[in-house]
Amino acid sequence: MSQEFDYIRWLRSRTTADPRVLVGPGDDCAVLAAPARPLLVTTDMLMDGTDFILAEVGPRRAGRKAMAANLSDIASMAGVPLAAVVSVALPPASRDLAEQLYLGLRDAADAFDVPIVGGDTNSWGGALAISVTAFGEATDRGAVLRSGAKPGDWVFVTGPLGGSIRGHHLDFTPRVREALLLHAAVELRAMCDISDGLAADLNHILEESRCGAVLFADAVPVSADAVELSRTTGKSPLQHALGDGEDFELVFTVSAADGEKLLRAPPVPGLAKVGECVESGLWLEVDGKREPLQPTGWVHQF
Amino acid sequence: MSQEFDYIRWLRSRTTADPRVLVGPGDDCAVLAAPARPLLVTTDMLMDGTDFILAEVGPRRAGRKAMAANLSDIASMAGVPLAAVVSVALPPASRDLAEQLYLGLRDAADAFDVPIVGGDTNSWGGALAISVTAFGEATDRGAVLRSGAKPGDWVFVTGPLGGSIRGHHLDFTPRVREALLLHAAVELRAMCDISDGLAADLNHILEESRCGAVLFADAVPVSADAVELSRTTGKSPLQHALGDGEDFELVFTVSAADGEKLLRAPPVPGLAKVGECVESGLWLEVDGKREPLQPTGWVHQF
């Protein structure tokens, strides 16, 4: 029998029964029980050389990142993850790579009880490309969009930022639980995960919400990696925190009243108030003075 | 503004309102209205050099094929397509390619009223890879699996087979409507789309159903392309029809009683009874004599 079908048989032998999954891998489609609430869908493709260096990180960490990045998008909506499918384009002669990749995908998926219900396994002459599509269900409070921020809202992040290239961009935990706990505690008005960088991702919220925001320079939590990285880059730790991206923390806005509530009794550790929404513009406040902040971050050119 | 966000803006300007889509492209996830029936999910990745030659076919036909191949999987379950998301890894400097690709994806999606609700657009140094994930809804009769065939069932296909490499593999119409009409007329017991080849795909049904089948050599509908191709390949038109694959017709089984009903009043054109299910094995009957048939077709080696 061929390697492709051997591999699919190997995958199926590792797929456990799940009441949400009516039909798992091995048919033309997976069949999932109808979700009761609106369905969230996100897809992210990660490629060797762009999102990870396969020769350096190995297939297991690459797989973990690919799954975790998608679950981070479900977290951005305060959704409950339901399932995922995975397509891969594998370099030649890579059965072991395929198995390690799958184990990495499962590392991240199992941590959130997410079944991998199907996929497509291909080989080609090119480098490894992994495409994950993840599904989730909105909670009863609804999906949190980017478009709900209002002037006067407080801006929070869920953890320290910057320097993720030192390893955090591979080994992060998507903030699925944090988003659900926060959304249960207060009304999250707008949310986004920090993949492009705090300034760029906050700016995504501002564009969709048609308002502005000021970030307080001394309130932005800077990671130890950002400090370490700044020793060699000539950039300040804060610049790294604002622009590096791939932190996979959440940035969100709430009303001032809800913000005070979060500061009084944080439902999750690591929360930091980093700014406030204003009528327009993106600003950085340093020593009481506001200066325009460029929402720079990673952007694909093509 | 960067090309990536320009492109996303261009996409969003082409996305029309749809009551099934609560949030379309531009947020972290798409949000779909909760489907009433079980959710079908399929994903297929197509790569330049493996599934199409970009330099020969151009991005629009490549995009059309990528979407149509996924909708063919929804058809295989007799599902109603709901939506799709698309991830792409683009070669450098390919804004025009990205637009043409999207128009091709839309060509196939629009034909079945399928909104493209999200995606991920990436550039890299490699060749074009397109990953589509499509969603559908089962009908009230349930999803048609591969596992329901029984000895005594009749085996049908929806159209002529073979020689798809001459162009049909790019320009086929996924049998979404045919599957729904057939499933409304009779009980489809097992179904699969013909992507690997009639023998291989029927064999997928037989493996899942734990039974066998005999194909009648003179009943297999052979396409004009298979005849044309056989002039130069040294293979018979029938061999092409049995093994070429990428026909994207459907192969399915029904009870003998339902089979007679289909022959008396075909609900769709092109139907052909090509065989019958037996206890075990895969057989080809030629001039009244049965010989073992190898379920050969395209298989990824890695």
Side-chain angles (χ1 to χ4, degrees):
Chain A
M1 239 322 178
S2 74
Q3 295 201 16
E4 179 183 358
F5 294 109
D6 276 352
Y7 178 67
I8 292 171
R9 202 170 299 123
W10 180 86
L11 286 185
R12 289 174 76 174
S13 74
R14 271 154 193 78
T15 304
T16 53
D18 186 312
R20 297 166 295 183
V21 183
L22 308 180
V23 177
D27 212 311
D28 294 285
C29 300
V31 185
L32 304 181
R37 281 169 285 269
L39 183 73
L40 312 178
V41 183
T42 184
T43 187
D44 268 300
M45 188 186 261
L46 275 68
M47 293 106 51
D48 182 12
T50 302
D51 302 283
F52 54 83
I53 309 291
L54 182 61
E56 287 175 15
V57 307
R60 188 153 185 164
R61 286 176 96 193
R64 205 155 51 204
K65 177 174 184 174
M67 180 61 67
N70 276 272
L71 297 181
S72 182
D73 283 323
I74 300 290
S76 303
M77 294 282 202
V80 179
L82 276 183
V85 296
V86 180
S87 287
V88 291
L90 296 164
S94 49
R95 169 67 187 255
D96 183 60
L97 189 161
E99 292 193 6
Q100 290 300 315
L101 184 64
Y102 178 74
L103 293 176
L105 288 157
R106 283 285 298 265
D107 287 341
D110 288 352
F112 296 96
D113 195 25
V114 175
I116 298 176
V117 298
D120 185 28
T121 307
N122 306 279
S123 57
W124 74 330
L128 175 65
I130 316 166
S131 177
V132 178
T133 303
F135 317 100
E137 211 178 348
T139 67
D140 286 330
R141 299 193 79 153
V144 182
L145 309 185
R146 296 180 177 183
S147 52
K150 293 180 176 61
D153 277 7
W154 289 13
V155 181
F156 282 81
V157 298
T158 51
L161 308 176
S164 67
I165 192 68
R166 288 174 47 86
H168 179 75
H169 75 114
L170 293 163
D171 301 323
F172 64 94
T173 301
R175 298 306 186 197
V176 172
R177 293 184 189 92
E178 289 76 5
L180 292 170
L181 288 168
L182 287 162
H183 203 35
V186 297
E187 184 206 350
L188 304 179
R189 283 197 168 152
M191 189 154 65
C192 197
D193 69 335
I194 304 180
S195 51
D196 295 334
L198 172 59
D201 288 307
L202 174 57
N203 199 54
H204 293 153
I205 288 177
L206 303 179
E207 284 188 344
E208 296 301 318
S209 299
R210 296 164 193 273
C211 70
V214 53
L215 288 171
F216 307 128
D218 54 8
V220 174
V222 175
S223 74
D225 284 322
V227 174
E228 193 59 41
L229 202 58
S230 74
R231 293 185 206 281
T232 56
T233 59
K235 291 164 71 175
S236 71
L238 179 65
Q239 283 176 307
H240 283 292
L242 292 171
D244 283 355
E246 300 225 80
D247 302 297
F248 295 104
E249 298 291 347
L250 299 167
V251 53
F252 62 93
T253 84
V254 294
S255 70
D258 276 344
E260 280 171 5
K261 202 169 146 188
L262 289 181
L263 291 185
R264 261 198 321 273
V268 298
L271 272 192
K273 180 191 173 188
V274 296
E276 291 180 9
C277 291
V278 297
E279 287 296 331
S280 65
L282 177 62
W283 311 89
L284 184 67
E285 190 171 301
V286 187
D287 299 330
K289 265 191 62 183
R290 290 186 184 181
E291 51 194 51
L293 178 62
Q294 288 307 310
T296 47
W298 170 261
V299 169
H300 279 283
Q301 302 288 340
F302 57 90
Chain B
M1 241 320 176
S2 74
Q3 293 198 20
E4 179 183 357
F5 293 108
D6 275 353
Y7 177 67
I8 292 170
R9 202 169 299 123
W10 180 86
L11 287 185
R12 290 175 75 175
S13 73
R14 270 152 195 78
T15 304
T16 53
D18 186 311
R20 296 166 297 182
V21 184
L22 308 181
V23 177
D27 213 311
D28 294 284
C29 300
V31 185
L32 304 181
R37 279 169 287 267
L39 184 73
L40 312 178
V41 183
T42 185
T43 187
D44 268 300
M45 187 186 260
L46 276 69
M47 294 106 50
D48 181 13
T50 303
D51 303 282
F52 55 83
I53 310 290
L54 183 61
E56 287 174 16
V57 309
R60 189 154 184 163
R61 286 176 96 193
R64 205 155 51 204
K65 177 174 184 173
M67 180 60 68
N70 276 273
L71 297 181
S72 183
D73 282 323
I74 300 289
S76 302
M77 295 282 202
V80 179
L82 276 183
V85 295
V86 180
S87 286
V88 291
L90 297 163
S94 50
R95 169 67 188 255
D96 184 58
L97 190 160
E99 292 192 5
Q100 291 300 314
L101 183 64
Y102 178 73
L103 293 176
L105 288 157
R106 283 285 298 266
D107 287 341
D110 288 353
F112 296 96
D113 195 24
V114 175
I116 298 176
V117 299
D120 186 26
T121 307
N122 307 280
S123 58
W124 73 330
L128 175 65
I130 315 166
S131 178
V132 178
T133 302
F135 317 101
E137 211 179 345
T139 67
D140 286 331
R141 298 194 81 152
V144 181
L145 310 185
R146 296 178 177 185
S147 53
K150 294 181 176 61
D153 278 7
W154 288 12
V155 181
F156 283 81
V157 298
T158 51
L161 307 176
S164 67
I165 192 68
R166 287 173 48 84
H168 179 77
H169 75 113
L170 292 164
D171 302 322
F172 64 94
T173 301
R175 296 308 185 197
V176 173
R177 292 184 190 93
E178 289 76 4
L180 292 169
L181 288 167
L182 287 163
H183 203 34
V186 297
E187 184 206 351
L188 303 179
R189 284 198 169 151
M191 190 155 63
C192 197
D193 68 337
I194 305 178
S195 51
D196 295 335
L198 173 60
D201 287 308
L202 175 57
N203 199 53
H204 293 153
I205 288 177
L206 302 179
E207 285 190 343
E208 297 299 319
S209 299
R210 296 166 191 272
C211 70
V214 54
L215 288 171
F216 306 128
D218 54 7
V220 174
V222 174
S223 74
D225 284 323
V227 174
E228 192 58 42
L229 203 58
S230 74
R231 293 186 205 282
T232 55
T233 59
K235 291 164 73 176
S236 71
L238 179 64
Q239 283 175 308
H240 284 292
L242 291 171
D244 283 356
E246 300 227 80
D247 303 298
F248 296 104
E249 298 291 347
L250 298 168
V251 51
F252 62 93
T253 85
V254 295
S255 71
D258 276 345
E260 281 171 4
K261 200 169 148 188
L262 289 181
L263 291 184
R264 262 201 316 276
V268 298
L271 273 191
K273 179 192 172 188
V274 295
E276 291 179 9
C277 290
V278 297
E279 287 296 331
S280 65
L282 178 61
W283 311 90
L284 184 67
E285 190 172 301
V286 187
D287 298 331
K289 265 190 60 182
R290 289 185 187 184
E291 53 195 51
L293 178 62
Q294 289 306 311
T296 47
W298 170 260
V299 169
H300 280 282
Q301 302 288 341
F302 56 90

